[in-house]
Amino acid sequence: MMLKDRVAVVTGAGRGIGRSMALLMAKEGAKVVVNDLGGAEDGTGSDQAVATQVVKEITDAGGEAVDNFDTVATWEGGHNIIKTAIDNFGKIDILVNNAGVLRDRMIFNMTEEEWDGVMEVHMKGTFDCTRAASNYMKQQKYGRVINFSSTSGILGNYGQSNYGAAKLGIVGFTRNCALDMQRYGVTFNAIAPFAWTRLIGTIPERTEEDKQRLEKIKRMDPGHIAPLVTYLASEEAGEISGQVFGVRAKEIILFSLPRPVRTIHRAEGWDPQSIADVIPGAMADSFSPLVTTADIFPYEPLV
Ligand SMILES: NC(=O)c1ccc[n+]([C@@H]2O[C@H](COP(=O)([O-])OP(=O)(O)OC[C@H]3O[C@@H](n4cnc5c(N)ncnc54)[C@H](O)[C@@H]3O)[C@@H](O)[C@H]2O)c1
């Protein structure tokens, strides 16, 4: 019972990774707000049955849960989701910002709607719920926030400039919030998961690399993500904040974060030509190569 008497909000908990986390957290003793708009993979539409079904699964197993159908993508929605925890369970200890959509398109074809739709759910949705929860957590001097990032942002992927930007933005958000809330006993961490869900099923298999990557992901159960998130949501993980973890089936990964790798200095300052003269020799061997997730994880997952 690692989360006994804790109150957790899991956004996008009606399906996939979110559902598994809600089920495990409830099993570990948390009272859970199961939020899900219940829309399609691209965020359109809604269906309340998606969240309600997970609440039923939790209560059938003897746990406590309540549903919420708001979108994370608005200020009102985010506040209402957190209010659902306060109204039903009296507090909020744990927030898992997991809700997500995909609208993949190569940058030269991407529409404004495809950009905005992804940024609103991931980037703004993470802010909306965190902002609403942060005052309660600050006052009670306790909180655990776990935000969902992706290797599409940390490393790169084709056709996901909107999603990758939002997901790396979430890493920046996580680390800055970790600083803001450190003195109040609130931790923030990010997860880059790998799991076969309907969301990943929408990624087009354009290249041989895409195909290979998706074949590997198809063997990864979303349930593998929940134990690490549940641990990070527990009192025991109080010393861990501002970190980015990956979970790839039975493998748990700690990601590095950018640090300066080379610096150059010139007493007279720089002009374009002096930069052109120096950079290739002084820095080029340390440039970050353009990679996809498949390049960094070429080996088979332990399923
Ligand atoms: N599955 C993977 O391999 C993978 C990889 C990297 C990142 N992620 C991230 O993990 C998270 C969970 O994704 P998943 O794979 O379980 O997908 P999923 O589609 O199975 O679940 C996402 C859930 O979020 C809900 N949702 C979408 N927009 C919402 C909104 N505005 N408000 C409330 N709920 C909303 C959906 O209805 C859905 O039930 C996402 O943030 C995703 O970007 C997943």
Side-chain angles (χ1 to χ4, degrees), residues 184-197:
Y184 303 110
V186 183
T187 65
F188 280 76
N189 291 289
I191 302 280
F194 294 73
W196 184 248
T197 63

Side-chain angles (χ1 to χ4, degrees), residues 20-71:
S20 303
M21 293 188 293
L23 293 174
L24 186 61
M25 287 185 168
K27 198 173 160 207
E28 290 292 331
K31 297 165 188 165
V32 183
V33 175
V34 176
N35 157 265
D36 209 296
L37 179 67
E41 294 89 330
D42 66 357
T44 54
S46 62
D47 179 3
Q48 298 195 346
V50 174
T52 304
Q53 173 56 35
V54 176
V55 170
K56 187 173 178 311
E57 282 183 69
I58 291 174
T59 50
D60 283 354
E64 272 190 78
V66 62
D67 46 23
N68 170 283
F69 318 114
D70 282 292
T71 176

Side-chain angles (χ1 to χ4, degrees), residues 15 17 36 71-72 98 122 149 163 167 193 195 197-198 200:
R15 302 188 181 95
I17 299 168
D36 209 296
T71 176
V72 297
N98 162 80
H122 291 279
S149 181
Y163 183 71
K167 289 306 204 186
T197 63
R198 67 163 196 163
I200 301 306

Side-chain angles (χ1 to χ4, degrees), residues 128-180:
D128 291 326
C129 296
T130 305
R131 174 66 185 82
S134 61
N135 280 90
Y136 294 105
M137 292 182 172
K138 178 172 175 271
Q139 270 164 28
Q140 73 192 8
K141 291 199 163 44
Y142 184 89
R144 301 280 182 265
V145 181
I146 297 103
N147 295 327
F148 271 69
S149 181
S150 168
T151 54
S152 299
I154 298 166
L155 301 171
N157 202 9
Y158 296 103
Q160 294 197 323
S161 58
N162 51 357
Y163 183 71
K167 289 306 204 186
L168 194 54
I170 286 172
V171 171
F173 179 77
T174 302
R175 290 189 52 87
N176 281 274
C177 290
L179 287 171
D180 285 355

Side-chain angles (χ1 to χ4, degrees), residues 41-43 101-111 113-115 117-118 122 150 152 157-164 167 198-206 210 213-214:
E41 294 89 330
D42 66 357
V101 295
L102 275 182
R103 295 186 185 182
D104 287 12
R105 194 81 64 194
M106 296 302 264
I107 183 58
F108 41 83
N109 290 325
M110 187 170 290
T111 65
E113 289 71 29
E114 285 161 348
W115 174 268
V118 165
H122 291 279
S150 168
S152 299
N157 202 9
Y158 296 103
Q160 294 197 323
S161 58
N162 51 357
Y163 183 71
K167 289 306 204 186
R198 67 163 196 163
L199 203 60
I200 301 306
T202 67
I203 298 178
E205 298 183 22
R206 288 189 193 90
D210 286 349
R213 179 180 173 221
L214 291 174

